[in-house]
PDB file of all heavy atoms in Angstrom:
ATOM      1  N   ARG A   1       3.628  -7.567  -7.115  1.00 91.00           N
ATOM      2  CA  ARG A   1       4.848  -8.157  -7.428  1.00 91.00           C
ATOM      3  C   ARG A   1       5.652  -8.658  -6.187  1.00 91.00           C
ATOM      4  O   ARG A   1       6.175  -9.793  -6.179  1.00 91.00           O
ATOM      5  CB  ARG A   1       5.746  -7.207  -8.107  1.00 91.00           C
ATOM      6  CG  ARG A   1       5.355  -6.866  -9.620  1.00 91.00           C
ATOM      7  CD  ARG A   1       6.446  -6.160 -10.406  1.00 91.00           C
ATOM      8  NE  ARG A   1       6.717  -4.846  -9.859  1.00 91.00           N
ATOM      9  CZ  ARG A   1       6.088  -3.710 -10.199  1.00 91.00           C
ATOM     10  NH1 ARG A   1       5.165  -3.785 -11.060  1.00 91.00           N
ATOM     11  NH2 ARG A   1       6.382  -2.506  -9.685  1.00 91.00           N
ATOM     12  N   ILE A   2       5.573  -7.865  -5.173  1.00 88.00           N
ATOM     13  CA  ILE A   2       6.197  -8.281  -3.920  1.00 88.00           C
ATOM     14  C   ILE A   2       5.592  -9.520  -3.342  1.00 88.00           C
ATOM     15  O   ILE A   2       6.238 -10.531  -2.989  1.00 88.00           O
ATOM     16  CB  ILE A   2       6.115  -7.198  -2.846  1.00 88.00           C
ATOM     17  CG1 ILE A   2       7.009  -5.954  -3.301  1.00 88.00           C
ATOM     18  CG2 ILE A   2       6.509  -7.609  -1.451  1.00 88.00           C
ATOM     19  CD1 ILE A   2       6.703  -4.701  -2.442  1.00 88.00           C
ATOM     20  N   ARG A   3       4.324  -9.622  -3.265  1.00 86.00           N
ATOM     21  CA  ARG A   3       3.646 -10.799  -2.968  1.00 86.00           C
ATOM     22  C   ARG A   3       3.932 -12.007  -3.713  1.00 86.00           C
ATOM     23  O   ARG A   3       4.143 -13.107  -3.074  1.00 86.00           O
ATOM     24  CB  ARG A   3       2.070 -10.543  -2.876  1.00 86.00           C
ATOM     25  CG  ARG A   3       1.260 -11.780  -2.402  1.00 86.00           C
ATOM     26  CD  ARG A   3      -0.121 -11.473  -2.277  1.00 86.00           C
ATOM     27  NE  ARG A   3      -0.706 -10.937  -3.458  1.00 86.00           N
ATOM     28  CZ  ARG A   3      -2.041 -10.700  -3.599  1.00 86.00           C
ATOM     29  NH1 ARG A   3      -2.946 -10.848  -2.564  1.00 86.00           N
ATOM     30  NH2 ARG A   3      -2.607 -10.225  -4.693  1.00 86.00           N
ATOM     31  N   ALA A   4       4.161 -11.874  -4.945  1.00 84.00           N
ATOM     32  CA  ALA A   4       4.325 -12.913  -5.902  1.00 84.00           C
ATOM     33  C   ALA A   4       5.671 -13.602  -5.664  1.00 84.00           C
ATOM     34  O   ALA A   4       5.883 -14.850  -5.619  1.00 84.00           O
ATOM     35  CB  ALA A   4       4.265 -12.540  -7.385  1.00 84.00           C
ATOM     36  N   TRP A   5       6.755 -12.749  -5.385  1.00 75.00           N
ATOM     37  CA  TRP A   5       8.137 -13.454  -5.208  1.00 75.00           C
ATOM     38  C   TRP A   5       8.517 -13.508  -3.796  1.00 75.00           C
ATOM     39  O   TRP A   5       9.566 -14.050  -3.482  1.00 75.00           O
ATOM     40  CB  TRP A   5       9.090 -12.601  -6.096  1.00 75.00           C
ATOM     41  CG  TRP A   5       9.261 -11.165  -5.918  1.00 75.00           C
ATOM     42  CD1 TRP A   5       8.796 -10.180  -6.740  1.00 75.00           C
ATOM     43  CD2 TRP A   5       9.833 -10.457  -4.884  1.00 75.00           C
ATOM     44  NE1 TRP A   5       9.045  -8.906  -6.341  1.00 75.00           N
ATOM     45  CE2 TRP A   5       9.814  -8.999  -5.195  1.00 75.00           C
ATOM     46  CE3 TRP A   5      10.664 -10.654  -3.753  1.00 75.00           C
ATOM     47  CZ2 TRP A   5      10.430  -7.903  -4.465  1.00 75.00           C
ATOM     48  CZ3 TRP A   5      11.152  -9.656  -2.943  1.00 75.00           C
ATOM     49  CH2 TRP A   5      11.055  -8.324  -3.273  1.00 75.00           C
ATOM     50  N   ASP A   6       7.651 -13.094  -2.854  1.00 65.00           N
ATOM     51  CA  ASP A   6       8.053 -13.247  -1.409  1.00 65.00           C
ATOM     52  C   ASP A   6       6.968 -13.732  -0.569  1.00 65.00           C
ATOM     53  O   ASP A   6       6.700 -13.075   0.476  1.00 65.00           O
ATOM     54  CB  ASP A   6       8.657 -11.945  -0.941  1.00 65.00           C
ATOM     55  CG  ASP A   6      10.228 -11.873  -1.070  1.00 65.00           C
ATOM     56  OD1 ASP A   6      10.853 -12.810  -0.676  1.00 65.00           O
ATOM     57  OD2 ASP A   6      10.700 -10.932  -1.595  1.00 65.00           O
ATOM     58  N   GLN A   7       6.251 -14.678  -0.934  1.00 77.00           N
ATOM     59  CA  GLN A   7       5.068 -15.245  -0.168  1.00 77.00           C
ATOM     60  C   GLN A   7       5.515 -15.666   1.158  1.00 77.00           C
ATOM     61  O   GLN A   7       6.455 -16.411   1.249  1.00 77.00           O
ATOM     62  CB  GLN A   7       4.342 -16.284  -1.027  1.00 77.00           C
ATOM     63  CG  GLN A   7       3.707 -15.723  -2.271  1.00 77.00           C
ATOM     64  CD  GLN A   7       2.880 -16.838  -2.953  1.00 77.00           C
ATOM     65  OE1 GLN A   7       2.304 -17.780  -2.329  1.00 77.00           O
ATOM     66  NE2 GLN A   7       2.927 -16.792  -4.333  1.00 77.00           N
ATOM     67  N   GLY A   8       4.786 -15.207   2.131  1.00 85.00           N
ATOM     68  CA  GLY A   8       4.979 -15.671   3.526  1.00 85.00           C
ATOM     69  C   GLY A   8       6.190 -15.035   4.212  1.00 85.00           C
ATOM     70  O   GLY A   8       6.575 -15.465   5.363  1.00 85.00           O
ATOM     71  N   ARG A   9       6.680 -13.976   3.594  1.00 94.00           N
ATOM     72  CA  ARG A   9       7.814 -13.327   4.302  1.00 94.00           C
ATOM     73  C   ARG A   9       7.436 -11.933   4.737  1.00 94.00           C
ATOM     74  O   ARG A   9       6.320 -11.470   4.578  1.00 94.00           O
ATOM     75  CB  ARG A   9       9.038 -13.310   3.326  1.00 94.00           C
ATOM     76  CG  ARG A   9       9.310 -14.762   2.712  1.00 94.00           C
ATOM     77  CD  ARG A   9      10.430 -14.700   1.609  1.00 94.00           C
ATOM     78  NE  ARG A   9      11.748 -14.488   2.184  1.00 94.00           N
ATOM     79  CZ  ARG A   9      12.765 -14.120   1.259  1.00 94.00           C
ATOM     80  NH1 ARG A   9      12.610 -14.023   0.009  1.00 94.00           N
ATOM     81  NH2 ARG A   9      14.030 -13.928   1.871  1.00 94.00           N
ATOM     82  N   THR A  10       8.447 -11.255   5.255  1.00 96.00           N
ATOM     83  CA  THR A  10       8.260  -9.925   5.789  1.00 96.00           C
ATOM     84  C   THR A  10       9.082  -8.945   4.803  1.00 96.00           C
ATOM     85  O   THR A  10      10.319  -9.008   4.751  1.00 96.00           O
ATOM     86  CB  THR A  10       8.659  -9.702   7.195  1.00 96.00           C
ATOM     87  OG1 THR A  10       7.832 -10.539   7.985  1.00 96.00           O
ATOM     88  CG2 THR A  10       8.568  -8.271   7.726  1.00 96.00           C
ATOM     89  N   ILE A  11       8.345  -7.987   4.220  1.00 96.00           N
ATOM     90  CA  ILE A  11       8.986  -7.054   3.287  1.00 96.00           C
ATOM     91  C   ILE A  11       8.802  -5.591   3.855  1.00 96.00           C
ATOM     92  O   ILE A  11       7.673  -5.255   4.221  1.00 96.00           O
ATOM     93  CB  ILE A  11       8.420  -7.203   1.894  1.00 96.00           C
ATOM     94  CG1 ILE A  11       8.236  -8.632   1.540  1.00 96.00           C
ATOM     95  CG2 ILE A  11       9.206  -6.376   0.878  1.00 96.00           C
ATOM     96  CD1 ILE A  11       9.589  -9.407   1.439  1.00 96.00           C
ATOM     97  N   ALA A  12       9.825  -4.752   3.755  1.00 98.00           N
ATOM     98  CA  ALA A  12       9.767  -3.372   4.088  1.00 98.00           C
ATOM     99  C   ALA A  12       9.615  -2.555   2.704  1.00 98.00           C
ATOM    100  O   ALA A  12      10.518  -2.817   1.951  1.00 98.00           O
ATOM    101  CB  ALA A  12      10.801  -2.882   4.992  1.00 98.00           C
ATOM    102  N   ALA A  13       8.723  -1.725   2.620  1.00 98.00           N
ATOM    103  CA  ALA A  13       8.458  -0.892   1.462  1.00 98.00           C
ATOM    104  C   ALA A  13       8.617   0.552   1.893  1.00 98.00           C
ATOM    105  O   ALA A  13       7.692   0.981   2.538  1.00 98.00           O
ATOM    106  CB  ALA A  13       7.174  -1.270   0.702  1.00 98.00           C
ATOM    107  N   ILE A  14       9.660   1.209   1.479  1.00 98.00           N
ATOM    108  CA  ILE A  14       9.857   2.579   1.893  1.00 98.00           C
ATOM    109  C   ILE A  14       9.421   3.492   0.760  1.00 98.00           C
ATOM    110  O   ILE A  14       9.842   3.447  -0.428  1.00 98.00           O
ATOM    111  CB  ILE A  14      11.336   2.845   2.214  1.00 98.00           C
ATOM    112  CG1 ILE A  14      11.784   2.142   3.491  1.00 98.00           C
ATOM    113  CG2 ILE A  14      11.543   4.357   2.402  1.00 98.00           C
ATOM    114  CD1 ILE A  14      11.894   0.689   3.441  1.00 98.00           C
ATOM    115  N   THR A  15       8.423   4.378   1.045  1.00 98.00           N
ATOM    116  CA  THR A  15       7.737   5.186   0.066  1.00 98.00           C
ATOM    117  C   THR A  15       7.303   6.525   0.668  1.00 98.00           C
ATOM    118  O   THR A  15       8.088   7.042   1.590  1.00 98.00           O
ATOM    119  CB  THR A  15       6.627   4.349  -0.610  1.00 98.00           C
ATOM    120  OG1 THR A  15       6.030   5.166  -1.620  1.00 98.00           O
ATOM    121  CG2 THR A  15       5.624   3.913   0.437  1.00 98.00           C
ATOM    122  N   HIS A  16       6.263   7.106   0.187  1.00 98.00           N
ATOM    123  CA  HIS A  16       5.898   8.438   0.470  1.00 98.00           C
ATOM    124  C   HIS A  16       4.462   8.474   1.015  1.00 98.00           C
ATOM    125  O   HIS A  16       3.668   7.475   0.931  1.00 98.00           O
ATOM    126  CB  HIS A  16       6.009   9.325  -0.801  1.00 98.00           C
ATOM    127  CG  HIS A  16       7.280   9.173  -1.459  1.00 98.00           C
ATOM    128  ND1 HIS A  16       8.327  10.035  -1.004  1.00 98.00           N
ATOM    129  CD2 HIS A  16       7.831   8.192  -2.340  1.00 98.00           C
ATOM    130  CE1 HIS A  16       9.438   9.696  -1.749  1.00 98.00           C
ATOM    131  NE2 HIS A  16       9.161   8.575  -2.495  1.00 98.00           N
ATOM    132  N   GLY A  17       4.151   9.590   1.761  1.00 98.00           N
ATOM    133  CA  GLY A  17       2.989   9.607   2.523  1.00 98.00           C
ATOM    134  C   GLY A  17       1.655   9.412   1.670  1.00 98.00           C
ATOM    135  O   GLY A  17       0.793   8.597   1.967  1.00 98.00           O
ATOM    136  N   ASP A  18       1.501  10.019   0.564  1.00 97.00           N
ATOM    137  CA  ASP A  18       0.285   9.856  -0.301  1.00 97.00           C
ATOM    138  C   ASP A  18       0.184   8.513  -0.948  1.00 97.00           C
ATOM    139  O   ASP A  18      -0.831   7.965  -1.100  1.00 97.00           O
ATOM    140  CB  ASP A  18       0.210  10.936  -1.351  1.00 97.00           C
ATOM    141  CG  ASP A  18      -0.366  12.221  -0.783  1.00 97.00           C
ATOM    142  OD1 ASP A  18      -1.063  12.193   0.273  1.00 97.00           O
ATOM    143  OD2 ASP A  18      -0.179  13.325  -1.472  1.00 97.00           O
ATOM    144  N   VAL A  19       1.406   7.882  -1.261  1.00 98.00           N
ATOM    145  CA  VAL A  19       1.460   6.511  -1.711  1.00 98.00           C
ATOM    146  C   VAL A  19       0.859   5.562  -0.725  1.00 98.00           C
ATOM    147  O   VAL A  19       0.049   4.728  -1.039  1.00 98.00           O
ATOM    148  CB  VAL A  19       2.791   6.129  -2.160  1.00 98.00           C
ATOM    149  CG1 VAL A  19       2.808   4.714  -2.786  1.00 98.00           C
ATOM    150  CG2 VAL A  19       3.352   7.124  -3.278  1.00 98.00           C
ATOM    151  N   ILE A  20       1.303   5.710   0.407  1.00 98.00           N
ATOM    152  CA  ILE A  20       0.858   4.843   1.574  1.00 98.00           C
ATOM    153  C   ILE A  20      -0.621   5.024   1.821  1.00 98.00           C
ATOM    154  O   ILE A  20      -1.403   4.159   2.000  1.00 98.00           O
ATOM    155  CB  ILE A  20       1.644   5.137   2.864  1.00 98.00           C
ATOM    156  CG1 ILE A  20       3.169   4.681   2.626  1.00 98.00           C
ATOM    157  CG2 ILE A  20       1.037   4.338   4.060  1.00 98.00           C
ATOM    158  CD1 ILE A  20       4.032   5.055   3.798  1.00 98.00           C
ATOM    159  N   ARG A  21      -1.096   6.364   1.867  1.00 98.00           N
ATOM    160  CA  ARG A  21      -2.535   6.609   2.009  1.00 98.00           C
ATOM    161  C   ARG A  21      -3.322   5.971   0.879  1.00 98.00           C
ATOM    162  O   ARG A  21      -4.397   5.409   1.192  1.00 98.00           O
ATOM    163  CB  ARG A  21      -2.720   8.109   2.072  1.00 98.00           C
ATOM    164  CG  ARG A  21      -2.183   8.877   3.252  1.00 98.00           C
ATOM    165  CD  ARG A  21      -2.556  10.347   3.209  1.00 98.00           C
ATOM    166  NE  ARG A  21      -1.918  11.088   4.278  1.00 98.00           N
ATOM    167  CZ  ARG A  21      -0.814  11.692   4.198  1.00 98.00           C
ATOM    168  NH1 ARG A  21      -0.091  11.819   3.074  1.00 98.00           N
ATOM    169  NH2 ARG A  21      -0.396  12.354   5.343  1.00 98.00           N
ATOM    170  N   CYS A  22      -2.861   6.135  -0.353  1.00 98.00           N
ATOM    171  CA  CYS A  22      -3.658   5.433  -1.481  1.00 98.00           C
ATOM    172  C   CYS A  22      -3.709   3.945  -1.271  1.00 98.00           C
ATOM    173  O   CYS A  22      -4.828   3.355  -1.579  1.00 98.00           O
ATOM    174  CB  CYS A  22      -2.883   5.758  -2.799  1.00 98.00           C
ATOM    175  SG  CYS A  22      -3.134   7.400  -3.385  1.00 98.00           S
ATOM    176  N   LEU A  23      -2.734   3.384  -0.936  1.00 98.00           N
ATOM    177  CA  LEU A  23      -2.736   1.889  -0.636  1.00 98.00           C
ATOM    178  C   LEU A  23      -3.685   1.583   0.436  1.00 98.00           C
ATOM    179  O   LEU A  23      -4.509   0.568   0.293  1.00 98.00           O
ATOM    180  CB  LEU A  23      -1.350   1.301  -0.511  1.00 98.00           C
ATOM    181  CG  LEU A  23      -0.544   1.320  -1.619  1.00 98.00           C
ATOM    182  CD1 LEU A  23       0.992   1.037  -1.256  1.00 98.00           C
ATOM    183  CD2 LEU A  23      -0.953   0.342  -2.666  1.00 98.00           C
ATOM    184  N   LEU A  24      -3.568   2.265   1.533  1.00 98.00           N
ATOM    185  CA  LEU A  24      -4.487   1.875   2.753  1.00 98.00           C
ATOM    186  C   LEU A  24      -5.901   2.084   2.362  1.00 98.00           C
ATOM    187  O   LEU A  24      -6.802   1.312   2.755  1.00 98.00           O
ATOM    188  CB  LEU A  24      -4.094   2.702   3.930  1.00 98.00           C
ATOM    189  CG  LEU A  24      -2.663   2.399   4.542  1.00 98.00           C
ATOM    190  CD1 LEU A  24      -2.324   3.459   5.627  1.00 98.00           C
ATOM    191  CD2 LEU A  24      -2.684   0.984   5.128  1.00 98.00           C
ATOM    192  N   LEU A  25      -6.215   3.139   1.606  1.00 98.00           N
ATOM    193  CA  LEU A  25      -7.638   3.524   1.300  1.00 98.00           C
ATOM    194  C   LEU A  25      -8.113   2.268   0.366  1.00 98.00           C
ATOM    195  O   LEU A  25      -9.326   1.928   0.516  1.00 98.00           O
ATOM    196  CB  LEU A  25      -7.776   4.793   0.543  1.00 98.00           C
ATOM    197  CG  LEU A  25      -7.632   5.994   1.367  1.00 98.00           C
ATOM    198  CD1 LEU A  25      -7.631   7.297   0.427  1.00 98.00           C
ATOM    199  CD2 LEU A  25      -8.625   6.154   2.407  1.00 98.00           C
ATOM    200  N   LEU A  26      -7.273   1.782  -0.503  1.00 97.00           N
ATOM    201  CA  LEU A  26      -7.733   0.763  -1.413  1.00 97.00           C
ATOM    202  C   LEU A  26      -7.990  -0.545  -0.569  1.00 97.00           C
ATOM    203  O   LEU A  26      -9.050  -1.169  -0.713  1.00 97.00           O
ATOM    204  CB  LEU A  26      -6.588   0.409  -2.351  1.00 97.00           C
ATOM    205  CG  LEU A  26      -6.802  -0.775  -3.344  1.00 97.00           C
ATOM    206  CD1 LEU A  26      -7.999  -0.471  -4.215  1.00 97.00           C
ATOM    207  CD2 LEU A  26      -5.524  -1.115  -4.078  1.00 97.00           C
ATOM    208  N   LEU A  27      -7.146  -0.850   0.336  1.00 96.00           N
ATOM    209  CA  LEU A  27      -7.358  -2.040   1.184  1.00 96.00           C
ATOM    210  C   LEU A  27      -8.532  -1.920   2.134  1.00 96.00           C
ATOM    211  O   LEU A  27      -9.265  -2.918   2.499  1.00 96.00           O
ATOM    212  CB  LEU A  27      -6.070  -2.396   1.975  1.00 96.00           C
ATOM    213  CG  LEU A  27      -4.798  -2.788   1.169  1.00 96.00           C
ATOM    214  CD1 LEU A  27      -3.674  -2.901   1.983  1.00 96.00           C
ATOM    215  CD2 LEU A  27      -5.101  -3.942   0.238  1.00 96.00           C
ATOM    216  N   LEU A  28      -8.915  -0.660   2.567  1.00 96.00           N
ATOM    217  CA  LEU A  28      -9.914  -0.447   3.498  1.00 96.00           C
ATOM    218  C   LEU A  28     -11.239  -0.155   2.721  1.00 96.00           C
ATOM    219  O   LEU A  28     -12.270  -0.096   3.380  1.00 96.00           O
ATOM    220  CB  LEU A  28      -9.665   0.768   4.397  1.00 96.00           C
ATOM    221  CG  LEU A  28      -8.482   0.535   5.444  1.00 96.00           C
ATOM    222  CD1 LEU A  28      -8.065   1.837   5.992  1.00 96.00           C
ATOM    223  CD2 LEU A  28      -8.942  -0.461   6.518  1.00 96.00           C
ATOM    224  N   GLY A  29     -11.243  -0.122   1.482  1.00 95.00           N
ATOM    225  CA  GLY A  29     -12.448   0.087   0.670  1.00 95.00           C
ATOM    226  C   GLY A  29     -12.982   1.468   0.838  1.00 95.00           C
ATOM    227  O   GLY A  29     -14.206   1.730   0.740  1.00 95.00           O
ATOM    228  N   MET A  30     -12.069   2.429   1.022  1.00 96.00           N
ATOM    229  CA  MET A  30     -12.501   3.808   1.196  1.00 96.00           C
ATOM    230  C   MET A  30     -12.229   4.660  -0.030  1.00 96.00           C
ATOM    231  O   MET A  30     -11.239   4.330  -0.767  1.00 96.00           O
ATOM    232  CB  MET A  30     -11.719   4.467   2.386  1.00 96.00           C
ATOM    233  CG  MET A  30     -12.119   3.871   3.748  1.00 96.00           C
ATOM    234  SD  MET A  30     -11.036   4.432   5.103  1.00 96.00           S
ATOM    235  CE  MET A  30     -11.452   6.196   5.018  1.00 96.00           C
ATOM    236  N   PRO A  31     -12.995   5.621  -0.340  1.00 95.00           N
ATOM    237  CA  PRO A  31     -12.806   6.482  -1.490  1.00 95.00           C
ATOM    238  C   PRO A  31     -11.546   7.327  -1.398  1.00 95.00           C
ATOM    239  O   PRO A  31     -11.148   7.763  -0.315  1.00 95.00           O
ATOM    240  CB  PRO A  31     -14.024   7.318  -1.592  1.00 95.00           C
ATOM    241  CG  PRO A  31     -14.602   7.439  -0.264  1.00 95.00           C
ATOM    242  CD  PRO A  31     -14.245   6.047   0.396  1.00 95.00           C
ATOM    243  N   LEU A  32     -10.923   7.692  -2.568  1.00 95.00           N
ATOM    244  CA  LEU A  32      -9.718   8.531  -2.486  1.00 95.00           C
ATOM    245  C   LEU A  32     -10.005   9.954  -2.056  1.00 95.00           C
ATOM    246  O   LEU A  32      -9.058  10.592  -1.533  1.00 95.00           O
ATOM    247  CB  LEU A  32      -9.125   8.660  -3.968  1.00 95.00           C
ATOM    248  CG  LEU A  32      -8.437   7.330  -4.400  1.00 95.00           C
ATOM    249  CD1 LEU A  32      -8.118   7.357  -5.923  1.00 95.00           C
ATOM    250  CD2 LEU A  32      -7.088   7.235  -3.679  1.00 95.00           C
ATOM    251  N   ASP A  33     -11.314  10.340  -2.013  1.00 94.00           N
ATOM    252  CA  ASP A  33     -11.505  11.715  -1.587  1.00 94.00           C
ATOM    253  C   ASP A  33     -11.348  11.815  -0.071  1.00 94.00           C
ATOM    254  O   ASP A  33     -11.316  12.908   0.502  1.00 94.00           O
ATOM    255  CB  ASP A  33     -13.004  12.098  -1.905  1.00 94.00           C
ATOM    256  CG  ASP A  33     -13.181  12.221  -3.446  1.00 94.00           C
ATOM    257  OD1 ASP A  33     -12.187  12.600  -4.027  1.00 94.00           O
ATOM    258  OD2 ASP A  33     -14.380  12.095  -3.847  1.00 94.00           O
ATOM    259  N   HIS A  34     -11.211  10.655   0.617  1.00 95.00           N
ATOM    260  CA  HIS A  34     -11.017  10.654   2.012  1.00 95.00           C
ATOM    261  C   HIS A  34      -9.495  10.545   2.427  1.00 95.00           C
ATOM    262  O   HIS A  34      -9.225  10.293   3.629  1.00 95.00           O
ATOM    263  CB  HIS A  34     -11.719   9.505   2.701  1.00 95.00           C
ATOM    264  CG  HIS A  34     -13.292   9.732   2.630  1.00 95.00           C
ATOM    265  ND1 HIS A  34     -14.135   8.676   3.023  1.00 95.00           N
ATOM    266  CD2 HIS A  34     -13.970  10.753   2.224  1.00 95.00           C
ATOM    267  CE1 HIS A  34     -15.366   9.136   2.816  1.00 95.00           C
ATOM    268  NE2 HIS A  34     -15.352  10.354   2.428  1.00 95.00           N
ATOM    269  N   ILE A  35      -8.658  10.800   1.425  1.00 95.00           N
ATOM    270  CA  ILE A  35      -7.245  10.461   1.752  1.00 95.00           C
ATOM    271  C   ILE A  35      -6.659  11.354   2.897  1.00 95.00           C
ATOM    272  O   ILE A  35      -5.836  10.837   3.652  1.00 95.00           O
ATOM    273  CB  ILE A  35      -6.369  10.796   0.439  1.00 95.00           C
ATOM    274  CG1 ILE A  35      -4.951  10.266   0.555  1.00 95.00           C
ATOM    275  CG2 ILE A  35      -6.415  12.301  -0.007  1.00 95.00           C
ATOM    276  CD1 ILE A  35      -4.202  10.164  -0.694  1.00 95.00           C
ATOM    277  N   LEU A  36      -7.114  12.520   3.033  1.00 91.00           N
ATOM    278  CA  LEU A  36      -6.567  13.417   4.124  1.00 91.00           C
ATOM    279  C   LEU A  36      -7.058  13.034   5.570  1.00 91.00           C
ATOM    280  O   LEU A  36      -6.627  13.542   6.456  1.00 91.00           O
ATOM    281  CB  LEU A  36      -6.776  14.839   3.818  1.00 91.00           C
ATOM    282  CG  LEU A  36      -6.157  15.371   2.556  1.00 91.00           C
ATOM    283  CD1 LEU A  36      -6.493  16.904   2.376  1.00 91.00           C
ATOM    284  CD2 LEU A  36      -4.658  15.229   2.604  1.00 91.00           C
TER     285      LEU A  36
END
């Protein structure tokens, strides 16, 4: 949603440790079992 309404801009998303880990694992193609 952020990408759709703010293409080419800089957005700060303030969230929580496990949420950030989940997103990074998705983008890096790593399994969730490696979250820690």
